[in-house]
Amino acid sequence: MNQNIALLDHPLIQHKLTLLRDKQTGSKEFREMVSEIAMLMCYEATRDLPLKEVDIETPVALAKAKVISGKKLAFVPILRAGLGMVEGVLQMVPAAKVGHIGLYRDPESLHPVDYYVKLPEDVREREVILLDPMLATGGSAVEAIHVLKRQGVQHIKFMCIIAAPEGMKTLTDAHPDVPVFCAALDNHLNEHGYIVPGLGDAGDRLFGTK
Ligand code: URA
């Protein structure tokens, strides 16, 4: 597999993903699972954050200990399904800022167009983890990364729960510098744009709109 793709197949993630895929799982449980999977994935996606040593005093002795140094994070969900991952990642990194990118598909050109972009003012100084649970065609992810790069962001990671091979290829071809973290690489996209076997429409299942 491409070096820039990390398949996070920890047993806890796989177990929760099975619950997520099951069509019997209702919105409340679905939301909880998306959040918990995002939290576990965030643990891996932040593994390379640099540390620095500080002097502290424990109740027993003086000690040298490590804290995360310098690099500040921002999470950016792609609307709307990416919102479901925000709570989980913020539990891991509560000090991170959160931006939002909303995209729609132009009915004529079929290209994604950004209708809403709100990012932290200092986003270019932050490492950005872009969130979208489903990497289907890859069109939204590719465009959202263009939006971030146009703002001057230099360190971007993409985190999704399920990817289709088609979307993964489109994304890694367009942005080979962006590491991708996913929990499952599924079979294919069907003629309606759904990932197979997938989990259906993540946004609808998160927000109970279907
Ligand atoms: N978006 C979804 O929510 N589900 C899919 O299967 C594909 C795109």
Side-chain angles (χ1 to χ4, degrees):
M1 196 185 290
N2 183 316
Q3 276 186 321
N4 245 0
I5 302 170
L7 189 62
L8 306 182
D9 55 0
H10 188 286
L12 288 173
I13 295 179
Q14 295 305 304
H15 180 87
K16 290 173 194 296
L17 180 55
T18 300
L19 298 174
L20 209 57
R21 289 184 188 278
D22 190 335
K23 68 175 187 183
Q24 306 290 356
T25 300
S27 271
K28 176 180 178 290
E29 210 186 341
F30 190 90
R31 266 198 299 275
E32 289 166 0
M33 288 304 133
V34 168
S35 188
E36 288 175 20
I37 290 171
M39 184 173 75
L40 293 166
M41 294 183 75
C42 182
Y43 174 81
E44 279 300 330
T46 51
R47 183 174 281 285
D48 62 351
L49 284 181
L51 294 168
K52 67 176 180 193
E53 212 168 58
V54 292
D55 295 309
I56 56 158
E57 194 174 348
T58 78
V60 181
L62 294 173
K64 292 199 180 297
K66 288 180 174 149
V67 292
I68 290 169
S69 84
K71 219 172 198 177
K72 291 185 285 182
L73 281 183
F75 295 113
V76 176
I78 300 179
L79 302 178
R80 94 187 134 134
L83 291 174
M85 299 171 79
V86 173
E87 191 191 315
V89 294
L90 282 180
Q91 281 191 35
M92 286 286 101
V93 192
K97 293 203 171 165
V98 181
H100 295 86
I101 296 180
L103 303 160
Y104 72 92
R105 192 195 287 235
D106 182 279
E108 276 170 27
S109 69
L110 300 182
H111 286 306
V113 180
D114 45 284
Y115 66 87
Y116 186 77
V117 178
K118 186 81 184 174
L119 299 169
E121 245 178 75
D122 59 353
V123 72
R124 65 178 58 77
E125 284 129 47
R126 292 179 177 263
E127 170 167 327
V128 171
I129 302 185
L130 190 62
L131 308 169
D132 194 347
M134 308 299 276
L135 178 62
T137 62
S140 299
V142 167
E143 178 54 25
I145 293 168
H146 280 310
V147 169
L148 294 171
K149 287 184 173 174
R150 282 200 295 270
Q151 297 283 328
V153 182
Q154 291 180 25
H155 301 284
I156 304 169
K157 291 173 178 166
F158 180 77
M159 192 195 288
C160 61
I161 296 179
I162 299 179
E166 296 89 334
M168 188 65 91
K169 180 169 183 347
T170 301
L171 174 55
T172 51
D173 284 353
H175 298 291
D177 55 313
V178 174
V180 181
F181 296 84
C182 75
L185 188 57
D186 272 12
N187 218 275
H188 65 280
L189 278 182
N190 71 13
E191 64 278 21
H192 306 293
Y194 281 99
I195 300 176
V196 181
L199 48 70
D201 188 302
D204 281 344
R205 295 193 64 189
L206 275 166
F207 299 113
T209 41
K210 208 170 182 190

